[in-house]
Amino acid sequence: MEDSKQRGVLVVDDEQDFRRVFCDFLRDRNYHVLEAEDGIRALEVYNDPDREIEIDLVITDFRMPRMGGETLIDKLRELHKYLPIIGVTGHQELSDQLKILKVGGFYFLEKPLPPWPIVERVVDTAIRLFCTEKEMREARAKELEIARLLRNYVQNPVEEMEGDIHFRGSIDLEIKVLSVDVQRPGGDLVEWFRPTPSELVFYLADAMGHDLVACFIACMNSMVTHRSHHGRRPSLSALVTGVDRAVNHLCTSGSLDSKRHFLTLFLGSVNLEFGELRYANAGHPDAFLFRPGRGVRRLGPTFRPIGLPFPGQASVRNEQLRPGDLLFLYTDGVFDVLSNGEPKPGMQHLESLVASLVNEPVDVIVREVENTLREHLARAGQSDFEDDTTLVAIKVL
């Protein structure tokens, strides 16, 4: 290998002569070679805390006393998901060869071994692919850490945003948020702020994906939205257009990213003095506006998703709010839990669930929806959410 770093190879075989010949061959090619006579000893070598060099490849016989190659490969896979393993078998049976691949072997070699140049190419390829994959995983981890930092920097902790929003002499709003974090930082962002004493502006955004670009898109939305409240304040439709223009600059129209990365956004403004809600829905799942005694209205899209390279004109709609009204927002992670990702049945299920809770305080509503989602996860054999999921309940008092 051209890499200057010496690579470690663990050779496992109960035949001492074969093991010696194979190890000498590898040492002549500047590999650091470790040996084991069976699977049990191989695990001891692999788990040795005093081992001085990383093991980049395991070459193991398949049939050995005490612990064979099938069990060894299975246990090594538990310790290291990506470690390349080459199985060696002296039997010409296809079942042995298939077992090596089935339990996670990278490749298999038959005894007697093929010419040494072929063996060298197999070993070299296995290690090269392992090193390349390792570098990609390390780069991915760094990207995710940057994305996590960006997300935490842009969005205030939910606990700091929750509480009652008051305007004396008119309506009060009570707000509750549930934001489920998954291991991979996603694109869900929810924020609100008071540009004037009589106005509340809020948004729930969901950037598609779980990578650095998704977090950049979510951050771009946040920065444009906040910047718009310095100096001359644009209308909601102009603000949506501004976010769309910014995201399009990030994902150049016509590129692969322009269709793979986009943002759905529900942007609203409540006039607390007159009880008026103005909103723009850019491709986001329908919000629910529950009105006690008057049913429910779905606040559907008024514009395409942000950043998609298609024409369209952002528009804004109005709704009059009255005491007891409940506005319920959510991201599409809910559909993954309730209906295996299908929006229509998931939306119907969620609407019925929230409708049965509409008279409860917002913290009870959000908690009961979360409990229902977790019950669905448990029935499906899942321990937690796979996609980031956000719930927002806003009630007029």
PDB file of all heavy atoms in Angstrom, residues 270-306:
ATOM      1  N   VAL A 270     -49.513  36.978  14.429  1.00  0.00           N
ATOM      2  CA  VAL A 270     -50.763  37.192  15.148  1.00  0.00           C
ATOM      3  C   VAL A 270     -50.810  38.630  15.645  1.00  0.00           C
ATOM      4  O   VAL A 270     -49.891  39.083  16.358  1.00  0.00           O
ATOM      5  CB  VAL A 270     -50.896  36.224  16.336  1.00  0.00           C
ATOM      6  CG1 VAL A 270     -52.199  36.506  17.113  1.00  0.00           C
ATOM      7  CG2 VAL A 270     -50.867  34.779  15.859  1.00  0.00           C
ATOM      8  N   ASN A 271     -51.860  39.340  15.255  1.00  0.00           N
ATOM      9  CA  ASN A 271     -52.114  40.668  15.809  1.00  0.00           C
ATOM     10  C   ASN A 271     -52.866  40.455  17.116  1.00  0.00           C
ATOM     11  O   ASN A 271     -54.045  40.069  17.116  1.00  0.00           O
ATOM     12  CB  ASN A 271     -52.940  41.514  14.828  1.00  0.00           C
ATOM     13  CG  ASN A 271     -53.109  42.934  15.319  1.00  0.00           C
ATOM     14  OD1 ASN A 271     -53.578  43.163  16.428  1.00  0.00           O
ATOM     15  ND2 ASN A 271     -52.748  43.895  14.479  1.00  0.00           N
ATOM     16  N   LEU A 272     -52.181  40.676  18.220  1.00  0.00           N
ATOM     17  CA  LEU A 272     -52.747  40.387  19.532  1.00  0.00           C
ATOM     18  C   LEU A 272     -53.849  41.366  19.923  1.00  0.00           C
ATOM     19  O   LEU A 272     -54.649  41.080  20.817  1.00  0.00           O
ATOM     20  CB  LEU A 272     -51.647  40.397  20.586  1.00  0.00           C
ATOM     21  CG  LEU A 272     -50.569  39.313  20.430  1.00  0.00           C
ATOM     22  CD1 LEU A 272     -49.406  39.589  21.350  1.00  0.00           C
ATOM     23  CD2 LEU A 272     -51.144  37.937  20.680  1.00  0.00           C
ATOM     24  N   GLU A 273     -53.894  42.511  19.278  1.00  0.00           N
ATOM     25  CA  GLU A 273     -54.921  43.505  19.608  1.00  0.00           C
ATOM     26  C   GLU A 273     -56.248  43.166  18.946  1.00  0.00           C
ATOM     27  O   GLU A 273     -57.313  43.276  19.556  1.00  0.00           O
ATOM     28  CB  GLU A 273     -54.464  44.898  19.176  1.00  0.00           C
ATOM     29  CG  GLU A 273     -55.434  45.999  19.567  1.00  0.00           C
ATOM     30  CD  GLU A 273     -54.896  47.369  19.241  1.00  0.00           C
ATOM     31  OE1 GLU A 273     -53.801  47.458  18.638  1.00  0.00           O
ATOM     32  OE2 GLU A 273     -55.566  48.349  19.600  1.00  0.00           O
ATOM     33  N   PHE A 274     -56.185  42.715  17.677  1.00  0.00           N
ATOM     34  CA  PHE A 274     -57.414  42.453  16.928  1.00  0.00           C
ATOM     35  C   PHE A 274     -57.693  40.960  16.750  1.00  0.00           C
ATOM     36  O   PHE A 274     -58.685  40.588  16.127  1.00  0.00           O
ATOM     37  CB  PHE A 274     -57.347  43.128  15.558  1.00  0.00           C
ATOM     38  CG  PHE A 274     -57.185  44.613  15.639  1.00  0.00           C
ATOM     39  CD1 PHE A 274     -55.973  45.218  15.331  1.00  0.00           C
ATOM     40  CD2 PHE A 274     -58.246  45.417  16.063  1.00  0.00           C
ATOM     41  CE1 PHE A 274     -55.829  46.591  15.420  1.00  0.00           C
ATOM     42  CE2 PHE A 274     -58.103  46.789  16.159  1.00  0.00           C
ATOM     43  CZ  PHE A 274     -56.895  47.385  15.847  1.00  0.00           C
ATOM     44  N   GLY A 275     -56.803  40.095  17.260  1.00  0.00           N
ATOM     45  CA  GLY A 275     -57.038  38.659  17.175  1.00  0.00           C
ATOM     46  C   GLY A 275     -56.987  38.102  15.773  1.00  0.00           C
ATOM     47  O   GLY A 275     -57.706  37.153  15.442  1.00  0.00           O
ATOM     48  N   GLU A 276     -56.121  38.631  14.927  1.00  0.00           N
ATOM     49  CA  GLU A 276     -56.038  38.191  13.543  1.00  0.00           C
ATOM     50  C   GLU A 276     -54.755  37.395  13.312  1.00  0.00           C
ATOM     51  O   GLU A 276     -53.668  37.814  13.707  1.00  0.00           O
ATOM     52  CB  GLU A 276     -56.064  39.394  12.595  1.00  0.00           C
ATOM     53  CG  GLU A 276     -56.029  38.987  11.118  1.00  0.00           C
ATOM     54  CD  GLU A 276     -55.923  40.184  10.194  1.00  0.00           C
ATOM     55  OE1 GLU A 276     -55.072  41.057  10.439  1.00  0.00           O
ATOM     56  OE2 GLU A 276     -56.687  40.244   9.227  1.00  0.00           O
ATOM     57  N   LEU A 277     -54.910  36.236  12.678  1.00  0.00           N
ATOM     58  CA  LEU A 277     -53.775  35.405  12.269  1.00  0.00           C
ATOM     59  C   LEU A 277     -53.563  35.558  10.780  1.00  0.00           C
ATOM     60  O   LEU A 277     -54.485  35.355   9.989  1.00  0.00           O
ATOM     61  CB  LEU A 277     -54.033  33.934  12.595  1.00  0.00           C
ATOM     62  CG  LEU A 277     -53.079  32.920  11.938  1.00  0.00           C
ATOM     63  CD1 LEU A 277     -51.665  33.063  12.501  1.00  0.00           C
ATOM     64  CD2 LEU A 277     -53.596  31.491  12.119  1.00  0.00           C
ATOM     65  N   ARG A 278     -52.359  35.924  10.381  1.00  0.00           N
ATOM     66  CA  ARG A 278     -51.970  35.939   8.971  1.00  0.00           C
ATOM     67  C   ARG A 278     -50.869  34.889   8.822  1.00  0.00           C
ATOM     68  O   ARG A 278     -49.943  34.838   9.631  1.00  0.00           O
ATOM     69  CB  ARG A 278     -51.471  37.323   8.551  1.00  0.00           C
ATOM     70  CG  ARG A 278     -52.494  38.428   8.788  1.00  0.00           C
ATOM     71  CD  ARG A 278     -51.981  39.798   8.352  1.00  0.00           C
ATOM     72  NE  ARG A 278     -51.904  39.888   6.895  1.00  0.00           N
ATOM     73  CZ  ARG A 278     -50.786  39.990   6.211  1.00  0.00           C
ATOM     74  NH1 ARG A 278     -49.607  40.007   6.845  1.00  0.00           N
ATOM     75  NH2 ARG A 278     -50.798  40.082   4.891  1.00  0.00           N
ATOM     76  N   TYR A 279     -50.969  34.057   7.787  1.00  0.00           N
ATOM     77  CA  TYR A 279     -49.996  32.971   7.668  1.00  0.00           C
ATOM     78  C   TYR A 279     -49.659  32.690   6.211  1.00  0.00           C
ATOM     79  O   TYR A 279     -50.435  32.968   5.290  1.00  0.00           O
ATOM     80  CB  TYR A 279     -50.536  31.697   8.331  1.00  0.00           C
ATOM     81  CG  TYR A 279     -51.650  31.020   7.567  1.00  0.00           C
ATOM     82  CD1 TYR A 279     -51.379  30.034   6.620  1.00  0.00           C
ATOM     83  CD2 TYR A 279     -52.989  31.357   7.791  1.00  0.00           C
ATOM     84  CE1 TYR A 279     -52.399  29.414   5.911  1.00  0.00           C
ATOM     85  CE2 TYR A 279     -54.011  30.747   7.090  1.00  0.00           C
ATOM     86  CZ  TYR A 279     -53.708  29.771   6.153  1.00  0.00           C
ATOM     87  OH  TYR A 279     -54.711  29.160   5.455  1.00  0.00           O
ATOM     88  N   ALA A 280     -48.473  32.125   6.032  1.00  0.00           N
ATOM     89  CA  ALA A 280     -48.030  31.586   4.745  1.00  0.00           C
ATOM     90  C   ALA A 280     -47.522  30.175   5.011  1.00  0.00           C
ATOM     91  O   ALA A 280     -46.750  29.952   5.954  1.00  0.00           O
ATOM     92  CB  ALA A 280     -46.920  32.443   4.143  1.00  0.00           C
ATOM     93  N   ASN A 281     -47.961  29.245   4.192  1.00  0.00           N
ATOM     94  CA  ASN A 281     -47.561  27.851   4.345  1.00  0.00           C
ATOM     95  C   ASN A 281     -46.816  27.434   3.082  1.00  0.00           C
ATOM     96  O   ASN A 281     -47.410  27.260   2.015  1.00  0.00           O
ATOM     97  CB  ASN A 281     -48.791  26.964   4.567  1.00  0.00           C
ATOM     98  CG  ASN A 281     -48.411  25.504   4.782  1.00  0.00           C
ATOM     99  OD1 ASN A 281     -47.327  25.060   4.414  1.00  0.00           O
ATOM    100  ND2 ASN A 281     -49.320  24.742   5.373  1.00  0.00           N
ATOM    101  N   ALA A 282     -45.510  27.295   3.199  1.00  0.00           N
ATOM    102  CA  ALA A 282     -44.668  26.925   2.051  1.00  0.00           C
ATOM    103  C   ALA A 282     -44.399  25.428   2.077  1.00  0.00           C
ATOM    104  O   ALA A 282     -43.364  24.964   2.570  1.00  0.00           O
ATOM    105  CB  ALA A 282     -43.361  27.709   2.073  1.00  0.00           C
ATOM    106  N   GLY A 283     -45.349  24.668   1.562  1.00  0.00           N
ATOM    107  CA  GLY A 283     -45.179  23.223   1.424  1.00  0.00           C
ATOM    108  C   GLY A 283     -45.180  22.447   2.718  1.00  0.00           C
ATOM    109  O   GLY A 283     -44.854  21.253   2.734  1.00  0.00           O
ATOM    110  N   HIS A 284     -45.540  23.089   3.834  1.00  0.00           N
ATOM    111  CA  HIS A 284     -45.527  22.423   5.128  1.00  0.00           C
ATOM    112  C   HIS A 284     -46.818  21.613   5.297  1.00  0.00           C
ATOM    113  O   HIS A 284     -47.847  21.942   4.703  1.00  0.00           O
ATOM    114  CB  HIS A 284     -45.408  23.474   6.235  1.00  0.00           C
ATOM    115  CG  HIS A 284     -44.871  22.933   7.514  1.00  0.00           C
ATOM    116  ND1 HIS A 284     -43.545  22.640   7.704  1.00  0.00           N
ATOM    117  CD2 HIS A 284     -45.495  22.614   8.681  1.00  0.00           C
ATOM    118  CE1 HIS A 284     -43.357  22.185   8.923  1.00  0.00           C
ATOM    119  NE2 HIS A 284     -44.538  22.156   9.534  1.00  0.00           N
ATOM    120  N   PRO A 285     -46.786  20.535   6.113  1.00  0.00           N
ATOM    121  CA  PRO A 285     -48.034  19.810   6.397  1.00  0.00           C
ATOM    122  C   PRO A 285     -49.106  20.762   6.929  1.00  0.00           C
ATOM    123  O   PRO A 285     -48.808  21.712   7.653  1.00  0.00           O
ATOM    124  CB  PRO A 285     -47.616  18.790   7.467  1.00  0.00           C
ATOM    125  CG  PRO A 285     -46.153  18.574   7.226  1.00  0.00           C
ATOM    126  CD  PRO A 285     -45.623  19.901   6.765  1.00  0.00           C
ATOM    127  N   ASP A 286     -50.359  20.488   6.564  1.00  0.00           N
ATOM    128  CA  ASP A 286     -51.468  21.351   6.973  1.00  0.00           C
ATOM    129  C   ASP A 286     -51.471  21.575   8.486  1.00  0.00           C
ATOM    130  O   ASP A 286     -51.409  20.615   9.264  1.00  0.00           O
ATOM    131  CB  ASP A 286     -52.812  20.724   6.585  1.00  0.00           C
ATOM    132  CG  ASP A 286     -53.010  20.655   5.084  1.00  0.00           C
ATOM    133  OD1 ASP A 286     -52.115  21.111   4.352  1.00  0.00           O
ATOM    134  OD2 ASP A 286     -54.053  20.143   4.654  1.00  0.00           O
ATOM    135  N   ALA A 287     -51.554  22.834   8.884  1.00  0.00           N
ATOM    136  CA  ALA A 287     -51.775  23.144  10.295  1.00  0.00           C
ATOM    137  C   ALA A 287     -53.260  22.962  10.596  1.00  0.00           C
ATOM    138  O   ALA A 287     -54.110  23.090   9.705  1.00  0.00           O
ATOM    139  CB  ALA A 287     -51.334  24.567  10.603  1.00  0.00           C
ATOM    140  N   PHE A 288     -53.582  22.658  11.851  1.00  0.00           N
ATOM    141  CA  PHE A 288     -54.968  22.499  12.267  1.00  0.00           C
ATOM    142  C   PHE A 288     -55.382  23.704  13.098  1.00  0.00           C
ATOM    143  O   PHE A 288     -54.698  24.060  14.067  1.00  0.00           O
ATOM    144  CB  PHE A 288     -55.148  21.235  13.105  1.00  0.00           C
ATOM    145  CG  PHE A 288     -54.782  19.957  12.393  1.00  0.00           C
ATOM    146  CD1 PHE A 288     -54.004  19.004  13.026  1.00  0.00           C
ATOM    147  CD2 PHE A 288     -55.208  19.712  11.104  1.00  0.00           C
ATOM    148  CE1 PHE A 288     -53.661  17.826  12.393  1.00  0.00           C
ATOM    149  CE2 PHE A 288     -54.873  18.534  10.446  1.00  0.00           C
ATOM    150  CZ  PHE A 288     -54.098  17.592  11.093  1.00  0.00           C
ATOM    151  N   LEU A 289     -56.502  24.316  12.734  1.00  0.00           N
ATOM    152  CA  LEU A 289     -57.089  25.381  13.541  1.00  0.00           C
ATOM    153  C   LEU A 289     -58.421  24.860  14.081  1.00  0.00           C
ATOM    154  O   LEU A 289     -59.421  24.802  13.360  1.00  0.00           O
ATOM    155  CB  LEU A 289     -57.291  26.649  12.718  1.00  0.00           C
ATOM    156  CG  LEU A 289     -57.917  27.836  13.469  1.00  0.00           C
ATOM    157  CD1 LEU A 289     -57.063  28.225  14.681  1.00  0.00           C
ATOM    158  CD2 LEU A 289     -58.093  29.027  12.538  1.00  0.00           C
ATOM    159  N   PHE A 290     -58.392  24.423  15.352  1.00  0.00           N
ATOM    160  CA  PHE A 290     -59.586  23.878  15.991  1.00  0.00           C
ATOM    161  C   PHE A 290     -60.385  25.022  16.609  1.00  0.00           C
ATOM    162  O   PHE A 290     -59.831  25.860  17.330  1.00  0.00           O
ATOM    163  CB  PHE A 290     -59.198  22.874  17.076  1.00  0.00           C
ATOM    164  CG  PHE A 290     -58.526  21.639  16.549  1.00  0.00           C
ATOM    165  CD1 PHE A 290     -57.139  21.582  16.436  1.00  0.00           C
ATOM    166  CD2 PHE A 290     -59.270  20.539  16.157  1.00  0.00           C
ATOM    167  CE1 PHE A 290     -56.516  20.448  15.958  1.00  0.00           C
ATOM    168  CE2 PHE A 290     -58.643  19.394  15.668  1.00  0.00           C
ATOM    169  CZ  PHE A 290     -57.267  19.350  15.559  1.00  0.00           C
ATOM    170  N   ARG A 291     -61.698  24.997  16.339  1.00  0.00           N
ATOM    171  CA  ARG A 291     -62.587  26.029  16.871  1.00  0.00           C
ATOM    172  C   ARG A 291     -63.715  25.336  17.618  1.00  0.00           C
ATOM    173  O   ARG A 291     -64.575  24.699  16.983  1.00  0.00           O
ATOM    174  CB  ARG A 291     -63.157  26.884  15.736  1.00  0.00           C
ATOM    175  CG  ARG A 291     -62.084  27.718  15.065  1.00  0.00           C
ATOM    176  CD  ARG A 291     -62.570  28.241  13.744  1.00  0.00           C
ATOM    177  NE  ARG A 291     -61.769  29.383  13.327  1.00  0.00           N
ATOM    178  CZ  ARG A 291     -61.841  29.931  12.132  1.00  0.00           C
ATOM    179  NH1 ARG A 291     -62.681  29.450  11.236  1.00  0.00           N
ATOM    180  NH2 ARG A 291     -61.088  30.973  11.827  1.00  0.00           N
ATOM    181  N   PRO A 292     -63.720  25.414  18.947  1.00  0.00           N
ATOM    182  CA  PRO A 292     -64.742  24.698  19.722  1.00  0.00           C
ATOM    183  C   PRO A 292     -66.147  25.017  19.230  1.00  0.00           C
ATOM    184  O   PRO A 292     -66.541  26.180  19.102  1.00  0.00           O
ATOM    185  CB  PRO A 292     -64.513  25.226  21.151  1.00  0.00           C
ATOM    186  CG  PRO A 292     -63.072  25.613  21.173  1.00  0.00           C
ATOM    187  CD  PRO A 292     -62.784  26.142  19.806  1.00  0.00           C
ATOM    188  N   GLY A 293     -66.884  23.963  18.911  1.00  0.00           N
ATOM    189  CA  GLY A 293     -68.241  24.130  18.423  1.00  0.00           C
ATOM    190  C   GLY A 293     -68.346  24.471  16.957  1.00  0.00           C
ATOM    191  O   GLY A 293     -69.446  24.518  16.406  1.00  0.00           O
ATOM    192  N   ARG A 294     -67.177  24.712  16.306  1.00  0.00           N
ATOM    193  CA  ARG A 294     -67.210  25.107  14.900  1.00  0.00           C
ATOM    194  C   ARG A 294     -66.302  24.242  14.029  1.00  0.00           C
ATOM    195  O   ARG A 294     -66.011  24.579  12.890  1.00  0.00           O
ATOM    196  CB  ARG A 294     -66.805  26.584  14.760  1.00  0.00           C
ATOM    197  CG  ARG A 294     -67.790  27.560  15.406  1.00  0.00           C
ATOM    198  CD  ARG A 294     -67.305  28.983  15.257  1.00  0.00           C
ATOM    199  NE  ARG A 294     -66.086  29.209  16.045  1.00  0.00           N
ATOM    200  CZ  ARG A 294     -65.149  30.090  15.718  1.00  0.00           C
ATOM    201  NH1 ARG A 294     -65.261  30.781  14.599  1.00  0.00           N
ATOM    202  NH2 ARG A 294     -64.102  30.242  16.491  1.00  0.00           N
ATOM    203  N   GLY A 295     -65.846  23.122  14.589  1.00  0.00           N
ATOM    204  CA  GLY A 295     -65.057  22.196  13.791  1.00  0.00           C
ATOM    205  C   GLY A 295     -63.591  22.606  13.676  1.00  0.00           C
ATOM    206  O   GLY A 295     -63.050  23.333  14.506  1.00  0.00           O
ATOM    207  N   VAL A 296     -62.978  22.162  12.603  1.00  0.00           N
ATOM    208  CA  VAL A 296     -61.550  22.386  12.388  1.00  0.00           C
ATOM    209  C   VAL A 296     -61.315  22.852  10.962  1.00  0.00           C
ATOM    210  O   VAL A 296     -61.980  22.413  10.031  1.00  0.00           O
ATOM    211  CB  VAL A 296     -60.746  21.098  12.680  1.00  0.00           C
ATOM    212  CG1 VAL A 296     -61.195  19.949  11.780  1.00  0.00           C
ATOM    213  CG2 VAL A 296     -59.245  21.341  12.499  1.00  0.00           C
ATOM    214  N   ARG A 297     -60.370  23.767  10.813  1.00  0.00           N
ATOM    215  CA  ARG A 297     -59.923  24.200   9.486  1.00  0.00           C
ATOM    216  C   ARG A 297     -58.486  23.755   9.289  1.00  0.00           C
ATOM    217  O   ARG A 297     -57.668  23.856  10.213  1.00  0.00           O
ATOM    218  CB  ARG A 297     -60.007  25.724   9.347  1.00  0.00           C
ATOM    219  CG  ARG A 297     -61.420  26.219   9.099  1.00  0.00           C
ATOM    220  CD  ARG A 297     -61.431  27.727   8.925  1.00  0.00           C
ATOM    221  NE  ARG A 297     -60.585  28.170   7.823  1.00  0.00           N
ATOM    222  CZ  ARG A 297     -60.976  28.172   6.538  1.00  0.00           C
ATOM    223  NH1 ARG A 297     -62.176  27.728   6.218  1.00  0.00           N
ATOM    224  NH2 ARG A 297     -60.168  28.613   5.594  1.00  0.00           N
ATOM    225  N   ARG A 298     -58.206  23.250   8.088  1.00  0.00           N
ATOM    226  CA  ARG A 298     -56.830  22.892   7.754  1.00  0.00           C
ATOM    227  C   ARG A 298     -56.202  24.065   7.014  1.00  0.00           C
ATOM    228  O   ARG A 298     -56.729  24.491   5.978  1.00  0.00           O
ATOM    229  CB  ARG A 298     -56.789  21.635   6.896  1.00  0.00           C
ATOM    230  CG  ARG A 298     -57.160  20.364   7.649  1.00  0.00           C
ATOM    231  CD  ARG A 298     -56.875  19.135   6.810  1.00  0.00           C
ATOM    232  NE  ARG A 298     -57.173  17.908   7.527  1.00  0.00           N
ATOM    233  CZ  ARG A 298     -56.917  16.691   7.057  1.00  0.00           C
ATOM    234  NH1 ARG A 298     -56.353  16.560   5.842  1.00  0.00           N
ATOM    235  NH2 ARG A 298     -57.211  15.624   7.760  1.00  0.00           N
ATOM    236  N   LEU A 299     -55.092  24.532   7.547  1.00  0.00           N
ATOM    237  CA  LEU A 299     -54.391  25.663   6.929  1.00  0.00           C
ATOM    238  C   LEU A 299     -53.315  25.092   6.012  1.00  0.00           C
ATOM    239  O   LEU A 299     -52.180  24.851   6.414  1.00  0.00           O
ATOM    240  CB  LEU A 299     -53.799  26.569   8.016  1.00  0.00           C
ATOM    241  CG  LEU A 299     -54.779  27.003   9.127  1.00  0.00           C
ATOM    242  CD1 LEU A 299     -54.107  28.017  10.047  1.00  0.00           C
ATOM    243  CD2 LEU A 299     -56.061  27.568   8.544  1.00  0.00           C
ATOM    244  N   GLY A 300     -53.712  24.872   4.758  1.00  0.00           N
ATOM    245  CA  GLY A 300     -52.841  24.205   3.805  1.00  0.00           C
ATOM    246  C   GLY A 300     -51.867  25.134   3.110  1.00  0.00           C
ATOM    247  O   GLY A 300     -51.783  26.334   3.409  1.00  0.00           O
ATOM    248  N   PRO A 301     -51.106  24.594   2.150  1.00  0.00           N
ATOM    249  CA  PRO A 301     -50.054  25.366   1.483  1.00  0.00           C
ATOM    250  C   PRO A 301     -50.583  26.582   0.732  1.00  0.00           C
ATOM    251  O   PRO A 301     -51.637  26.542   0.101  1.00  0.00           O
ATOM    252  CB  PRO A 301     -49.434  24.352   0.519  1.00  0.00           C
ATOM    253  CG  PRO A 301     -49.745  23.018   1.104  1.00  0.00           C
ATOM    254  CD  PRO A 301     -51.090  23.174   1.739  1.00  0.00           C
ATOM    255  N   THR A 302     -49.817  27.645   0.802  1.00  0.00           N
ATOM    256  CA  THR A 302     -50.065  28.845   0.000  1.00  0.00           C
ATOM    257  C   THR A 302     -48.902  29.099  -0.960  1.00  0.00           C
ATOM    258  O   THR A 302     -48.915  30.076  -1.700  1.00  0.00           O
ATOM    259  CB  THR A 302     -50.228  30.075   0.919  1.00  0.00           C
ATOM    260  OG1 THR A 302     -48.989  30.326   1.609  1.00  0.00           O
ATOM    261  CG2 THR A 302     -51.329  29.856   1.949  1.00  0.00           C
ATOM    262  N   PHE A 303     -47.888  28.213  -0.902  1.00  0.00           N
ATOM    263  CA  PHE A 303     -46.694  28.358  -1.743  1.00  0.00           C
ATOM    264  C   PHE A 303     -46.015  26.997  -1.777  1.00  0.00           C
ATOM    265  O   PHE A 303     -46.236  26.146  -0.921  1.00  0.00           O
ATOM    266  CB  PHE A 303     -45.776  29.430  -1.144  1.00  0.00           C
ATOM    267  CG  PHE A 303     -44.587  29.808  -2.004  1.00  0.00           C
ATOM    268  CD1 PHE A 303     -44.736  30.150  -3.331  1.00  0.00           C
ATOM    269  CD2 PHE A 303     -43.305  29.813  -1.462  1.00  0.00           C
ATOM    270  CE1 PHE A 303     -43.646  30.504  -4.117  1.00  0.00           C
ATOM    271  CE2 PHE A 303     -42.202  30.164  -2.223  1.00  0.00           C
ATOM    272  CZ  PHE A 303     -42.374  30.509  -3.564  1.00  0.00           C
ATOM    273  N   ARG A 304     -45.200  26.789  -2.797  1.00  0.00           N
ATOM    274  CA  ARG A 304     -44.421  25.548  -2.890  1.00  0.00           C
ATOM    275  C   ARG A 304     -43.351  25.524  -1.793  1.00  0.00           C
ATOM    276  O   ARG A 304     -43.046  26.543  -1.176  1.00  0.00           O
ATOM    277  CB  ARG A 304     -43.758  25.462  -4.260  1.00  0.00           C
ATOM    278  CG  ARG A 304     -42.850  26.631  -4.554  1.00  0.00           C
ATOM    279  CD  ARG A 304     -41.947  26.381  -5.729  1.00  0.00           C
ATOM    280  NE  ARG A 304     -41.248  27.567  -6.142  1.00  0.00           N
ATOM    281  CZ  ARG A 304     -40.226  28.124  -5.491  1.00  0.00           C
ATOM    282  NH1 ARG A 304     -39.812  27.606  -4.359  1.00  0.00           N
ATOM    283  NH2 ARG A 304     -39.646  29.215  -5.955  1.00  0.00           N
ATOM    284  N   PRO A 305     -42.718  24.341  -1.553  1.00  0.00           N
ATOM    285  CA  PRO A 305     -41.621  24.290  -0.589  1.00  0.00           C
ATOM    286  C   PRO A 305     -40.495  25.257  -0.957  1.00  0.00           C
ATOM    287  O   PRO A 305     -40.205  25.487  -2.130  1.00  0.00           O
ATOM    288  CB  PRO A 305     -41.149  22.834  -0.667  1.00  0.00           C
ATOM    289  CG  PRO A 305     -42.373  22.083  -1.096  1.00  0.00           C
ATOM    290  CD  PRO A 305     -43.088  23.003  -2.049  1.00  0.00           C
ATOM    291  N   ILE A 306     -39.854  25.796   0.057  1.00  0.00           N
ATOM    292  CA  ILE A 306     -38.778  26.768  -0.122  1.00  0.00           C
ATOM    293  C   ILE A 306     -37.571  26.111  -0.780  1.00  0.00           C
ATOM    294  O   ILE A 306     -37.114  25.050  -0.359  1.00  0.00           O
ATOM    295  CB  ILE A 306     -38.360  27.358   1.242  1.00  0.00           C
ATOM    296  CG1 ILE A 306     -39.526  28.082   1.911  1.00  0.00           C
ATOM    297  CG2 ILE A 306     -37.150  28.267   1.098  1.00  0.00           C
ATOM    298  CD1 ILE A 306     -39.955  29.335   1.224  1.00  0.00           C
TER     299      ILE A 306
END
